[in-house]
Amino acid sequence: MLVEEFDSLRRQRRRPGSGREAQRALALLLRFLGADAPVWEHDVHDLARAGTGLHARAVCEFLKGRDLLAQAPELHEDPDRVWIEAVLGGLPTQLAAEVATWVRVLRGEGRWPHPARSFRCIRRYLAALRPILATWQEAGIASLREVTDEDVVQAVQPGQSRNRKPDSQLSPLRSLFRALKQERTIFRDPARALTGHGHKGLPRSVPSDVLPAMFEEVTSAFGRLIMALVAVHALTGESIRELQLADLDLAHGRLTVRRGLRRRSIQLEPFTHQLAADWLAERHLRWPASTNPHLLTTGRTAFAAAAPPVHVTTILRIFPQGVNLDMLRQDRILDEAHASTDPLHLMRLFGISEVTAMRYITAAHPERTARLPR
């Protein structure tokens, strides 16, 4: 019987919601809808939302494997992509077409091949540009071909954008007009000479007593591994989320870090190596039949059909109040900069750019990088 088979599989794989409530909910679903025809996916999710203890994703996977699920495509759409399409739908026709061209270029579908950006990244860019596009629309600009250099400079002036820092809009603006010029949608790039408004603040150290206290407060293998990857190896949140199981080589103490199409290998020191081994043991104990290829996973993503990475908020939630991921990452790079004045060393060790490496060298050794008075 399907109900008994489902419950047996869930217990073997230690999936969430494997108690009697989930079993009764599935029995109720099949009793009313029957098992002779595929079950509509919306019905499974509606029953799960009713508080029956049913885990909708696990049930849908189970029914799909037995050709008993009528899938609802709208439930599997990327939420960031849906948001982007909704924003484009609210723009005037010509403006929407031009912004859509930019989105296609960021997705690697332009005239020239480029690494594809994720819809999450494109959503952040578009969210930063929305106030500017709204301002231009109110000013009567119906096409980005009408935008002048003065319009761009005025748009990023402090106090002009709505609830946005001007510097956060510089990169999206450059990307937008560069892509449109590449696709020959516009004839000239009005953002080509756009520069930042001021000097970025120098990185600051974290008090020496903060890190030991954090490791005492975070007790889970999941959280301690994330903290070590940030505090010891200065990985970004996005790099941590994208780590694959195949990227971790415990036998040789190596971890491959992905950034777009680029790969770099880091050597794990004994502390992080032990935390990685602890996490693998816990992961296998909790979800031995997990199909998710990512190194870090949770009960929600371990058996997801689309095998997504952990959500960014799951990682950010690890850090105690008052300390965030960027602070620890900056502290680690700055500590290395104090020990070395070679920017190439920082670039190789942490995979950062030349400009970023020089910012840390400047912060660590101001007496060596200060300009002499004329």
Side-chain angles (χ1 to χ4, degrees), residues 20-74:
R20 293 183 179 179
E21 288 185 356
Q23 189 176 7
R24 285 198 297 268
L26 181 60
L28 182 66
L29 181 73
L30 295 177
R31 182 183 305 167
F32 280 94
L33 301 179
D36 299 327
V39 176
W40 186 238
E41 191 171 6
H42 278 294
D43 293 334
V44 179
H45 284 270
D46 289 343
L47 186 61
R49 281 193 292 268
T52 57
L54 195 67
H55 194 261
R57 186 174 291 171
V59 172
C60 289
E61 243 184 276
F62 173 78
L63 295 175
K64 182 181 176 182
R66 287 149 185 80
D67 295 325
L68 289 175
L69 182 70
Q71 287 187 285
E74 61 272 15

Side-chain angles (χ1 to χ4, degrees), residues 119-153:
F119 283 112
R120 179 181 297 276
C121 174
I122 298 173
R123 176 174 179 169
R124 289 199 298 265
Y125 269 26
L126 184 54
L129 289 180
R130 281 187 77 186
I132 295 179
L133 295 176
T135 301
W136 288 343
Q137 186 179 345
E138 292 172 1
I141 295 177
S143 170
L144 293 176
R145 293 181 180 179
E146 305 172 19
V147 176
T148 64
D149 296 7
E150 292 75 16
D151 292 329
V152 172
V153 172

Side-chain angles (χ1 to χ4, degrees), residues 57 91 94 129-130 161 188 230 288 328:
R57 186 174 291 171
L91 295 175
Q94 182 62 29
L129 289 180
R130 281 187 77 186
S161 58
R188 58 186 302 277
V230 176
L328 287 186

